[in-house]
Amino acid sequence: MLELLNIKKKFGAVTALDRASFAMEKGEIVALLGANGSGKSTLVKILGGTVKKDAGTIKIDQKPVEIRSSAESRNLKIAVAYQELSLIPKMTVYENVMMGHFIKGKFGQVDERKNRSFVASLLEKCGADCGLDEYPKDLPSSTLSIIEIVKAVSWDPDILLLDEVTAALHHNEVEILFSNLRALSEKGVSIVMVTHRLGEIFNIASRAVILRNGESVADVDLKKTDINKIVYYMTGKIPEIVENPSDEKRSGEDAVLIVDNLTIGESVRNVSMRVNRGEIIGLGGLEGQGQSQFLRSIYGAIPLESGSITIAGRKVDYKSSADAVKDGIGFISGNRNRESIFNLRTIGENIFSAKMSMGRDFSPISNRMIIQQANQIVQEYDIKIGQINDPITSLSGGNQQKVVFGRWILVSPAILLLDDPTKGVDVSSRRELHNFLRKAADQGMTVLIVSSDNDELLEIANRIYVFYEGGIHCMLCGTDCTEEKLVSAMMGMTVKDSAK
């Protein structure tokens, strides 16, 4: 029914897909697997019409088709539930689901009653705990993922693409989803499921197509394979399973940060760790496993439900991130425009902003002081700028992120928290940012870094805590810090799993 042949796609110099191919029949459920950056989401976006392929052939019912837009994809009876969510925060659940295909009544008018009844029945069937007139911005992430699926299903597709939709779902919600997917499959809907939760695929899919570095490297019958084989196809190496070492042996060391049984709803569950002065700690795991929420709870941006945080021997309970900053904690986000830079301020003001927030209230700050200290950072870290009073938006993405790094280097916080800080940054800038962190750690700064890039974690971290479904699955250090063990841990694999 659906066939992709030798699909190619480049983004600048980066090859996302290179001769990727796979085929599926009517009513089949196929898992599309691969490590981070393997090209899975790009392939889904090509079928969904949000990304155009550079080369290759797409066939539906043996006929070649071109997909140049989302509208063309929908006309071909393809629907996508996206990992990033396509919901509009300020539109109601009902409006989000039906946008673009409201059921019409007589005289072409929208039949409000039929539309609302239709959406309500889908939400109930999929187990969504929300009302028709609620707004996505007010709902938890698991409910938003279900609504994203409902939105895709509402188009009555022949081909349904699900991109990491279970990442934010709880166990009971996954069971309800799988029951609905089986029912759709029996009606002839072909389903492509992208997931990193390898244990799930054996319960829902018949086959798995595996991508590595943009190429399709295997097409396996899931009844005749095991997790080890799948991880091997994903990484090119035999998976290694690591036991979970304890932090108890570190109790006598110079612990700057001690987290004990930290819990935040369903997103973070009973997380404990000890971090020493001058360490660079990596927080790994698939997206949505609790790493970002954990980091933000230390920063005071998300309140704790239970557990404790001890910094330099003193228990803290920050009510805001401003309290954390004044206590010597810095935070850098990979989402520069939303969480890191002040778009309407100059380069110098952006660099100086952390120092300003840590200073005494009403203490005088001269423009000369801002320019002098900001220029020092610019020169020391080779940030490419025009003039220090130019707007921050005049810089490239990489140089904007170097400004944010420089902001915190200027004040030398005791602890620096980073949430995927090099996302969207070129290789050269990333290398420079890593050098910033190493130099800061050598001078005694403690660094915790979340990254979606496994190579980055392996390159820079002294130890890596791997998150899985809100908890710490294991901690990797020394010779255990290998790609194979990291990928295995991210998939939630244990010694027991490896025997499957």
Side-chain angles (χ1 to χ4, degrees):
M1 181 203 182
L2 173 66
E3 186 176 9
L4 291 87
L5 297 169
N6 298 318
I7 304 298
K8 296 183 179 182
K9 180 63 187 178
K10 279 190 173 185
F11 296 99
V14 178
T15 299
L17 292 170
D18 185 15
R19 301 187 302 279
S21 303
F22 84 88
M24 64 187 305
E25 299 300 326
K26 184 176 180 179
E28 194 174 17
I29 302 178
V30 176
L32 183 60
L33 307 177
N36 288 336
S38 61
K40 308 181 299 298
S41 291
T42 301
L43 202 57
V44 168
K45 288 173 181 176
I46 287 172
L47 287 170
T50 58
V51 169
K52 295 180 182 179
K53 63 182 174 63
D54 295 334
T57 303
I58 300 172
K59 293 182 179 181
I60 296 178
D61 293 332
Q62 300 182 339
K63 297 177 182 178
V65 298
E66 290 295 329
I67 304 175
R68 293 170 291 248
S69 67
S70 298
E72 287 188 354
S73 175
R74 287 193 293 269
N75 288 339
L76 292 167
K77 301 280 281 181
I78 299 172
V80 187
Y82 288 103
Q83 177 183 5
E84 297 94 346
L85 301 180
S86 62
L87 307 177
I88 298 173
K90 293 186 178 181
M91 291 178 65
T92 66
V93 170
Y94 158 63
E95 291 166 337
N96 266 286
V97 171
M98 295 307 297
M99 183 172 58
H101 65 127
F102 285 97
I103 300 168
K104 303 290 180 64
K106 292 181 179 180
F107 312 113
Q109 298 286 330
V110 172
D111 190 321
E112 190 82 4
R113 185 185 61 79
K114 282 187 178 180
N115 279 282
R116 292 177 69 86
S117 175
F118 174 61
V119 175
S121 67
L122 286 179
L123 291 172
E124 182 180 5
K125 186 181 293 185
C126 292
D129 185 17
C130 65
L132 294 177
D133 298 316
E134 291 190 73
Y135 292 90
K137 63 184 180 66
D138 300 322
L139 298 173
S141 58
S142 59
T143 302
L144 294 179
S145 291
I146 296 172
I147 296 169
E148 181 76 10
I149 297 165
V150 167
K151 180 179 177 181
V153 171
S154 72
W155 286 89
D156 189 27
D158 290 337
I159 300 169
L160 178 61
L161 311 173
L162 305 175
D163 188 8
E164 291 285 3
V165 294
T166 63
L169 299 187
H170 306 137
H171 178 74
N172 63 312
E173 293 168 331
V174 172
E175 289 301 313
I176 293 171
L177 170 63
F178 283 3
S179 176
N180 283 299
L181 294 183
R182 293 185 189 102
L184 289 172
S185 172
E186 289 173 3
K187 292 179 180 178
V189 179
S190 301
I191 301 169
V192 178
M193 185 170 176
V194 177
T195 183
H196 279 297
R197 291 180 172 181
L198 295 189
E200 292 178 348
I201 63 172
F202 293 95
N203 296 325
I204 189 64
S206 58
R207 291 190 297 123
V209 174
I210 302 162
L211 302 181
R212 186 170 73 238
N213 298 327
E215 297 184 51
S216 44
V217 295
D219 186 336
V220 298
D221 183 340
L222 290 173
K223 291 181 180 178
K224 299 178 181 178
T225 193
D226 58 25
I227 290 178
N228 279 343
K229 197 71 173 177
I230 289 171
V231 175
Y232 167 73
Y233 285 129
M234 289 170 60
T235 65
K237 298 176 182 177
I238 299 296
E240 301 177 47
I241 310 302
V242 61
E243 298 284 0
N244 187 8
S246 171
D247 266 356
E248 290 179 5
K249 64 181 180 179
R250 299 178 179 271
S251 59
E253 297 185 22
D254 186 14
V256 171
L257 172 66
I258 300 174
V259 179
D260 187 33
N261 291 320
L262 190 148
T263 296
I264 308 169
E266 292 292 328
S267 59
V268 179
R269 297 178 288 104
N270 299 317
V271 169
S272 299
M273 69 172 63
R274 303 176 66 90
V275 183
N276 302 315
R277 184 176 184 272
E279 274 195 299
I280 299 179
I281 298 297
L283 304 179
L286 305 172
E287 186 173 348
Q289 303 303 303
Q291 312 94 298
S292 293
Q293 292 91 333
F294 172 74
L295 213 62
R296 283 165 168 74
S297 69
I298 297 173
Y299 191 55
I302 297 178
L304 312 184
E305 184 175 296
S306 62
S308 65
I309 299 172
T310 302
I311 294 175
R314 178 172 58 90
K315 283 193 176 182
V316 300
D317 184 13
Y318 300 127
K319 301 304 180 186
S320 70
S321 54
D323 292 338
V325 171
K326 289 177 180 177
D327 219 9
I329 298 178
F331 177 81
I332 297 175
S333 170
N335 191 335
R336 289 185 299 277
N337 291 323
R338 183 176 177 182
E339 296 184 307
S340 288
I341 66 171
F342 302 103
N343 284 303
L344 300 179
R345 295 295 181 179
T346 67
I347 297 164
E349 289 168 333
N350 268 273
I351 292 174
F352 202 78
S353 59
K355 189 159 190 176
M356 189 180 302
S357 67
M358 296 176 79
R360 296 178 180 176
D361 293 339
F362 309 115
S363 55
I365 298 172
S366 68
N367 191 51
R368 180 180 177 184
M369 182 192 300
I370 293 175
I371 291 173
Q372 182 181 6
Q373 296 195 24
N375 269 322
Q376 181 182 339
I377 290 293
V378 167
Q379 292 166 13
E380 186 173 352
Y381 293 99
D382 194 28
I383 304 174
K384 308 298 184 188
I385 70 168
Q387 300 294 324
I388 201 70
N389 284 325
D390 287 346
I392 183 73
T393 52
S394 66
L395 303 182
S396 67
N399 280 296
Q400 286 182 11
Q401 196 70 326
K402 286 163 77 172
V403 164
V404 177
F405 269 69
R407 169 193 302 165
W408 293 108
I409 297 297
L410 182 62
V411 297
S412 299
I415 300 172
L416 183 59
L417 311 171
L418 305 102
D419 189 7
D420 226 355
T422 62
K423 182 169 58 178
V425 172
D426 64 78
V427 174
S428 177
S429 294
R430 188 173 86 161
R431 190 178 299 116
E432 291 181 79
L433 296 175
H434 286 180
N435 289 336
F436 289 1
L437 293 180
R438 291 191 185 97
K439 184 176 179 180
D442 288 343
Q443 294 172 353
M445 188 185 296
T446 299
V447 176
L448 277 75
I449 177 171
V450 171
S451 179
S452 56
D453 187 330
N454 292 347
D455 290 336
E456 179 169 50
L457 291 174
L458 293 168
E459 179 183 337
I460 198 169
N462 302 122
R463 292 186 286 139
I464 303 172
Y465 287 88
V466 184
F467 279 67
Y468 184 73
E469 296 190 345
I472 292 178
H473 181 70
C474 71
M475 185 264 287
L476 304 176
C477 60
T479 56
D480 280 335
C481 285
T482 65
E483 182 186 4
E484 305 86 81
K485 289 186 177 181
L486 178 55
V487 170
S488 298
M490 288 169 63
M491 304 296 174
M493 289 178 64
T494 63
V495 173
K496 182 180 177 181
D497 289 330
S498 69
K500 286 183 180 180

